[in-house]
Each structure stands twice: as structure tokens, then as C-alpha cells.
């Protein structure tokens, strides 16, 4: 970790602490995928963290002298309300809200000699260095298909073709629904990878345009495979060979060569054959094209309405209570490292990390293990150099440790305790354990408190969004059956919204009863939505092939699914007890 080493070499180890924190958060926020998409995943939360560090350094001076014990919890609670509401609008916003609040708590509690503005710049320097390395270093799985900077995008697009092949193989069997969900996930990841920030409006290189064209060629294949799976009939094994060859061609950058054509006996197989022919042309002859992968990002007003809607207010209130209560308890107990408790609470209350009880238990176990490793290591060595080595080693382990919350907690515990020593504070490994366990208890209590109004607004919002997207998709298919481009955008929106709703429902169903409530009604809504969207895709393929009215069997299935969806949605609204 170069910024930390430079600070230690300059005999200013405390200046390296904010830089190391910025790099640590960058490692936590980064995920496998496209390099450019990591700019938003890492860079935007880093800006929020720098703002939080600057804000936190100003908080102790707020209010009358000697009143910090009463003023700080209130101010942190208000900041938690805003950060929590922001976190409800999406994954990047969730990282921004968490990083803003945790950095504010650290800025208010960690006694560093550097002023707030300098801390914020050092934080950005650490995050910027980590992001720079992410962008310039070759990936672990280097391919020969073009510039290494597109390795993540190339793997994401290849995964779409592999998922199409998996769905075709599973058609007519019990694994088809899971394979269809895997295809949706692969399409979502590829869409995110290809829609990362760029300096120009359109793809700026031939390699990038080629990847966009290959992704675009996968969309009709995904539509045809979904329609074939909807028919619930087994398919010949060779129909999956074409998508598999295309996946290999994307990974290696080679030509796809001749593709086996399926029997053109019905609309789904004809659509698959046409999509394979179009893909072969896109792979072997076209230089590439720009691609519109989404309907457009919501504006600022739409984000603010969502943040301060029912879901944002509910989550923001829980974050505010957890942060404010834990800060008040820590300050009341006069702990030297009081900021550990609210910082721990903020991480624990994040729903992105799994059900509440499991993440609390994982946090407790990881903290105990990390503190034990730290205490054993520093009982044998002393001086700043071993601390720097520990920070560098833990920073390298963070990308691997993010696979499990307990492992991530253990690594981060060793890293944070090392930074505390570098900042000139006394060693406090077992104090960290006690305060983290106290924060776990506070989050368990506050997380299960009944709040005013209905619960589960996050699930309700996700389901309502998915229902609206499904209806838009159906209306477009029936009104404009030959508009393939517009249909593709709405189909992606419908399946992506459905995946978000299903994820929110599964997470809530895994919570304890006081948090989860009843999930039966929304399980029925999600099931009806899945059947409706799949049937709409089958209808789209049939209408595009025949340019005629729907056959009675398709129309009856659409009417049946619409009625079931409407009944399930009304039943969930009447229940008043949501997940």
C-alpha cells in the first residue's frame, strides 16, 4: 500500500491512516467485472467517504463545550437518517451511504493531528491509488481476445452465451427456472459491465464496439431460449452447441466458425436459428456498434423521491437509531475508542450483507478471530514496520475475504487495529471485541423494533416496480410486435426488476418473524410475475415470427397470469403485514 508506506517513510504515520482507510473501502466495494464499471463502484463511494471524513472532523466542534456526549449521537443519527435513505436507491448508493456514515464516525472519533480537509484528500489518495491499480494491472485470467482492459467485460458477455446454452439444455426439466434466473443474472452483469462510465457517449474503440455488438447479438438468443424453455419441452442436445461456441469465441477473440442450426419446426426454434445467424454475422463480419443497454438512468428528482419514499424512510430510520444509540452508549461508557461501536452498527444494519441475525453472528465471530490474530501477532513483534506489513497483507486479502462476511470482518479487524496503533492510540484488541459485541446487541434490538406504519416497504417497492415493468413489456409486445429493439429494452427491464424483487423477497423471508412478517402473499406475486413475463416473451417470439394475432392458447395463458397476478397483488395489499 504505497500511500501508507510513503507516510511512514516521511515519519508521518498518522497521515497514512486516512489513505489506508480509503484503500480499504475501495477493496471492499470493488467486485469482479468490467474495469470501467469499477470507476463508479469504487470512485463514487470514495467521494462520499471523503465528504464523510470531512464532516466528521467538524462534528466534535458542534454544540456547546462539554455537550458532545449529547450532541454527537443526535448529529450522527440525523446523518444516519440521510445516509440510510440514500442507501435504499441502489447498490452504489448503498456503498455511498455506508461509507459516508462510517467515515463521519471515524472522523469524529479518531484523534488524528491532520485537519479535516487534509484527511479527506488523503482518503481520496488511498482510494484513488487502489482504483488506479484496478484499472491498469492485467487481470488474473488474461485472455487473447483483445486489450486486457476489457477482460472483465469479455468474460461477462461470454457468460451470457454460456447461460443461454445452460437454459436450452435444461428446457423441459425441473432445472429450467433456475437456469432462466441464471441467464437473467448474466445479462444484468454484462449490462452493468458494458454501461460503465466513459468520456464519450459511444464506445470509443473497435474492441469495445465489438463487445457491444456481441452483447446485442446475445439478446435475441436469450429471448428465443426463454420462449423454448417456456414451452416446457426437451430440446435436442445440439441446440446448445451454437451458444457454447459463441461463448468460446468471445473469451478467445477468435471467429465463431460454422454454427449448428436447429430444426426450424416452430416459432421458438426459428427465432433461435435466426438469432444464431445474426450472431455469426456480428462475430465474423461487423466491426461493432454502439448499444443502448438501458432505458436511461433516473434523474435526481426521481432518486430523491425514491430515497425519501416509504422504503427510504424505513431503512433510514433504522440506520439512524442504530448509529445514534450505539454512539450514545459508547460515549456514555466513556470508551476511548467510542467510534468503533457506531461504525460497527452501521455495517451491521446494511441489508446487502444478508439476513440480520446471520450477519450479526458473522460479525461477532469475525471480530473475535481477528482480534485474537492481531493480539498474538503483536505480542511477538513491535514497531511501525510490522503494522505496515499487516495493513498491506490485509489489504491484499480483502478481495478474497469479501466472499463471506465473517472472513471479511476478521481481515478488516486486523487492518483497523493496525491502523489504530499507527495513529498513536494504545493497543485495544479485546476492547474491540467487547465494543463490537455490544454493537451487535444494539443492532439486534433496534433491528427488530416495530416501527410506525407498515413494514417491508423495500420489498413492496421492488415488487411494485417489477409489476409496472412487466405490464409495460406486455403492452409493447402486443402493440408493437415487430419492434425488436424496443422490445429488447423493455424485456431487460422486466427481467431485471423481477430479479431485484425476488432477491428482496428471499432476503426478507430469511429474517426472523418480527422482521420478516408473512411472505406467502408476495411469494404468490413473484411467481405470477415470473410466469407472466416468460409467457410475454413466448408471445413476442410467436408474434414476431407470424406477424398475426396471438393463438388462443397464448391469449388464454396471458389472461390467466394477469388475473393471478392481480389477485395476488390485491391479497398482499390487504394483508397489511409485509416482509
Amino acid at each position: 500500500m504505497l500511500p501508507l508506506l510513503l507516510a511512514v517513510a516521511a515519519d508521518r504515520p498518522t497521515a497514512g491512516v486516512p489513505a489506508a482507510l480509503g484503500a480499504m473501502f475501495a477493496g471492499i466495494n470493488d467486485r469482479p467485472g468490467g474495469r470501467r464499471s469499477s470507476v463508479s463502484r469504487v470512485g463514487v463511494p470514495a467521494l462520499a467517504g471523503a465528504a464523510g471524513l470531512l464532516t466528521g472532523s467538524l462534528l466534535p466542534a458542534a454544540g456547546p463545550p462539554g455537550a458532545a456526549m449529547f450532541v454527537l449521537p443526535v448529529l450522527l443519527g440525523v446523518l444516519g437518517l440521510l445516509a440510510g435513505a440514500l442507501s435504499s436507491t441502489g447498490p452504489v448508493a448503498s456503498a455511498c451511504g455506508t461509507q459516508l456514515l462510517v467515515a463521519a464516525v471515524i472522523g469524529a472519533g479518531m484523534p488524528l493531528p491532520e485537519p479535516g480537509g487534509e484527511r479527506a484528500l488523503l482518503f481520496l489518495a488511498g482510494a484513488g491509488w487502489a482504483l488506479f491499480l484496478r484499472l491498469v494491472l492485467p487481470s488474473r485470467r488474461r485472455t487473447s481476445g483483445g486489450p486486457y482492459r476489457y477482460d472483465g467485460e469479455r468474460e461477462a458477455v461470454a457468460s451470457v452465451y454460456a447461460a443461454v446454452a445452460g437454459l436450452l439444455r435444461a428446457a423441459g426439466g425441473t432445472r429450467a427456472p433456475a437456469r432462466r434466473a441464471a441467464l437473467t443474472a448474466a445479462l444484468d452483469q454484462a449490462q452493468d459491465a458494458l454501461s460503465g462510465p466513459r468520456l464519450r457517449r459511444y464506445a470509443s474503440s473497435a474492441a469495445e464496439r465489438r463487445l457491444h455488438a456481441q452483447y446485442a447479438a446475445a439478446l435475441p438468443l436469450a429471448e428465443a431460449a426463454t420462449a423454448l424453455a417456456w414451452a416446457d419441452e426437451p430440446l435436442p442436445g445440439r441446440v446448445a452447441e451454437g451458444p457454447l461456441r459463441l461463448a468460446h469465441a468471445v473469451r478467445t477473440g477468435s471467429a465463431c466458425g460454422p454454427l449448428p442450426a436447429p430444426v426450424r419446426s416452430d416459432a421458438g426454434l426459428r427465432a433461435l436459428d435466426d438469432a444464431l445467424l445474426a450472431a455469426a454475422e456480428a462475430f465474423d463480419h461487423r466491426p461493432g456498434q454502439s448499444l443502448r443497454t438501458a432505458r436511461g438512468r433516473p434523474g435526481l428528482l426521481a432518486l430523491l423521491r425514491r430515497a425519501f419514499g416509504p422504503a427510504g424512510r424505513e431503512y433510514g430510520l433504522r440506520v439512524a437509531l442504530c448509529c445514534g444509540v450505539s454512539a450514545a452508549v459508547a460515549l456514555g461508557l466513556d470508551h476511548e475508542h467510542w467510534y468503533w461501536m457506531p461504525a460497527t452498527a452501521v455495517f451491521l444494519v446494511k441489508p446487502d450483507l444478508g439476513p440480520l441475525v446471520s450477519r450479526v453472528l458473522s460479525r461477532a465471530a469475525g471480530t473475535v478471530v481477528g482480534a485474537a490474530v492481531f493480539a498474538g501477532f503483536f505480542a511477538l513483534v513491535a514497531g511501525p514496520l510490522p503494522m505496515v506489513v499487516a495493513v498491506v497483507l490485509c489489504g491484499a486479502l480483502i478481495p478474497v475475504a469479501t466472499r463471506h462476511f465473517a472472513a471479511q470482518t476478521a481481515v478488516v479487524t486486523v487492518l483497523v487495529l493496525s491502523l489504530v496503533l499507527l495513529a498513536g492510540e494504545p493497543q485495544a484488541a479485546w476492547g474491540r471485541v467487547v465494543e463490537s459485541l455490544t454493537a451487535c446487541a444494539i443492532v439486534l434490538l433496534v433491528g427488530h423494533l416495530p416501527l410506525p406504519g407498515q413494514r417491508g416497504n423495500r420489498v413492496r417497492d421492488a415488487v411494485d416496480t417489477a409489476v409496472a415493468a412487466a405490464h409495460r413489456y406486455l403492452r409493447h409486445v402486443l402493440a408493437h410486435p415487430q419492434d425488436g429493439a424496443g422490445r429488447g429494452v423493455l424485456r431487460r427491464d422486466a427481467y431485471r426488476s423481477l430479479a431485484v424483487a425476488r432477491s428482496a423477497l428471499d432476503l426478507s423471508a430469511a429474517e426472523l418473524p418480527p422482521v420478516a412478517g408473512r411472505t406467502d402473499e408476495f411469494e404468490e406475486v413473484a411467481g405470477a410475475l415470473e410466469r407472466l413475463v416468460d409467457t410475454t416473451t413466448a408471445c413476442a417470439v410467436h408474434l414476431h415470427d407470424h406477424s398475426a394475432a396471438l393463438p388462443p392458447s397464448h391469449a388464454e395463458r396471458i389472461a390467466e397470469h394477469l388475473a393471478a397476478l392481480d389477485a395476488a397483488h390485491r391479497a398482499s395489499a390487504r394483508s397489511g403485514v409485509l416482509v
Side-chain angles (χ1 to χ4, degrees):
M1 194 175 291
L2 184 61
L4 181 59
L5 290 173
L6 292 176
V8 173
D11 200 24
R12 289 190 58 192
T14 57
V17 172
L21 286 172
M24 180 190 76
F25 280 115
I28 292 174
N29 289 327
D30 197 14
R31 292 291 184 270
R35 294 172 188 271
R36 287 182 319 179
S37 59
S38 67
V39 174
S40 58
R41 289 196 309 267
V42 175
V44 178
L47 292 173
L53 206 58
L54 176 60
T55 302
S57 66
L58 303 175
L59 289 181
M69 177 177 158
F70 305 100
V71 175
L72 269 178
V74 175
L75 294 178
L76 290 174
V78 172
L79 190 61
L81 181 64
L82 298 175
L86 172 68
S87 297
S88 67
T89 61
V92 174
S94 177
C96 287
T98 301
Q99 202 156 314
L100 171 70
L101 191 53
V102 171
V105 170
I106 293 174
M110 183 178 282
L112 295 174
E114 289 76 21
E118 186 176 342
R119 295 186 207 179
L121 291 176
L122 290 168
F123 185 94
L124 285 176
W129 174 249
L131 181 58
F132 173 75
L133 294 178
R134 173 70 172 88
L135 294 176
V136 303
L137 291 180
S139 65
R140 189 162 53 102
R141 292 182 60 187
R142 181 76 179 270
T143 62
S144 59
Y148 73 85
R149 66 180 181 274
Y150 296 128
D151 284 353
E153 289 88 343
R154 187 178 300 109
E155 180 59 34
V157 174
S159 297
V160 173
Y161 286 98
V164 169
L167 179 57
L168 291 172
R169 285 175 170 173
T174 57
R175 301 179 63 189
R179 292 297 184 182
R180 202 270 300 151
L183 174 58
T184 296
L187 285 164
D188 290 344
Q189 292 169 5
Q191 180 175 327
D192 291 341
L194 293 175
S195 61
R198 57 173 61 90
L199 297 179
R200 302 178 183 179
R201 182 178 178 184
Y202 299 105
S204 56
S205 69
E208 186 181 355
R209 289 193 298 272
R210 184 175 178 83
L211 280 172
H212 279 227
Q214 290 170 343
Y215 174 80
L219 297 177
L221 275 173
E223 181 181 61
T226 302
L228 288 169
W230 172 85
D232 199 25
E233 294 180 1
L235 299 171
R238 68 190 183 98
V239 301
E241 293 178 10
L244 286 176
R245 292 187 188 180
L246 293 174
H248 177 74
V250 175
R251 288 192 174 100
T252 60
S254 59
C256 63
L259 300 176
V263 179
R264 298 173 62 91
S265 58
D266 59 28
L269 289 172
R270 284 191 292 272
L272 183 66
D273 190 16
D274 292 341
L276 283 171
L277 292 174
E281 182 182 359
F283 272 60
D284 292 343
H285 302 294
R286 294 180 189 170
Q289 62 188 34
S290 62
L291 177 67
R292 180 172 58 126
T293 57
R295 292 185 298 113
R297 297 179 180 178
L300 179 60
L301 290 178
L303 286 176
L304 290 177
R305 282 195 297 269
R306 184 175 178 184
F308 294 101
R313 292 197 304 269
E314 179 186 348
Y315 179 57
L317 184 56
R318 291 200 185 275
V319 173
L321 287 173
C322 288
C323 186
V325 170
S326 58
V329 171
L331 288 167
L333 296 175
D334 198 23
H335 280 300
E336 187 174 5
H337 306 92
W338 67 266
Y339 56 91
W340 285 355
M341 201 178 291
T344 298
V346 171
F347 270 117
L348 284 175
V349 80
K350 273 178 67 68
D352 314 53
L353 303 175
L356 181 60
V357 173
S358 69
R359 62 182 183 260
V360 166
L361 294 176
S362 295
R363 178 76 187 205
T367 300
V368 172
V369 172
V373 171
F374 175 85
F377 180 70
F378 284 97
L380 303 175
V381 298
L385 185 57
M387 289 181 275
V388 173
V389 172
V391 171
V392 173
L393 181 61
C394 290
L397 288 175
I398 281 178
V400 179
T402 52
R403 297 176 181 178
H404 195 281
F405 190 40
Q408 176 182 313
T409 300
V411 172
V412 170
T413 296
V414 176
L415 192 153
V416 169
L417 289 171
S418 302
L419 291 178
V420 167
L421 284 184
L422 281 172
E425 297 186 65
Q427 201 261 62
W430 301 115
R432 170 73 169 166
V433 172
V434 172
E435 295 182 5
S436 293
L437 293 179
T438 305
C440 290
I442 291 173
V443 171
L444 275 179
L445 176 63
V446 175
H448 291 89
L449 284 177
L451 296 179
Q454 289 182 319
R455 290 180 283 120
N457 290 293
R458 181 170 177 266
V459 174
R460 182 188 299 111
D461 279 1
V463 169
D464 288 346
T465 299
V467 169
H471 280 102
R472 283 194 301 269
Y473 177 37
L474 175 60
R475 286 195 298 268
H476 187 88
V477 165
L478 297 179
H480 309 284
Q482 301 305 313
D483 180 12
R487 183 175 74 244
V489 172
L490 292 172
R491 183 177 64 251
R492 284 271 58 244
D493 186 35
Y495 278 108
R496 183 162 198 149
S497 301
L498 178 59
V500 171
R502 171 59 73 180
S503 177
L505 178 58
D506 291 344
L507 175 62
S508 293
E511 299 281 9
L512 293 180
V515 176
R518 296 207 308 258
T519 61
D520 294 345
E521 293 84 357
F522 270 90
E523 284 287 353
E524 294 178 8
V525 174
L529 265 177
E530 290 168 349
R531 292 187 292 272
L532 174 63
V533 176
D534 284 347
T535 304
T536 302
T537 299
C539 292
V541 169
H542 182 90
L543 290 173
H544 190 82
D545 181 63
H546 290 82
S547 300
L550 280 178
S553 59
H554 286 60
E556 289 174 4
R557 295 280 290 273
I558 287 286
E560 175 186 337
H561 296 328
L562 282 173
L565 175 61
D566 183 61
H569 207 202
R570 283 188 283 106
S572 66
R574 285 196 306 267
S575 69
V577 182
L578 305 181
V579 291

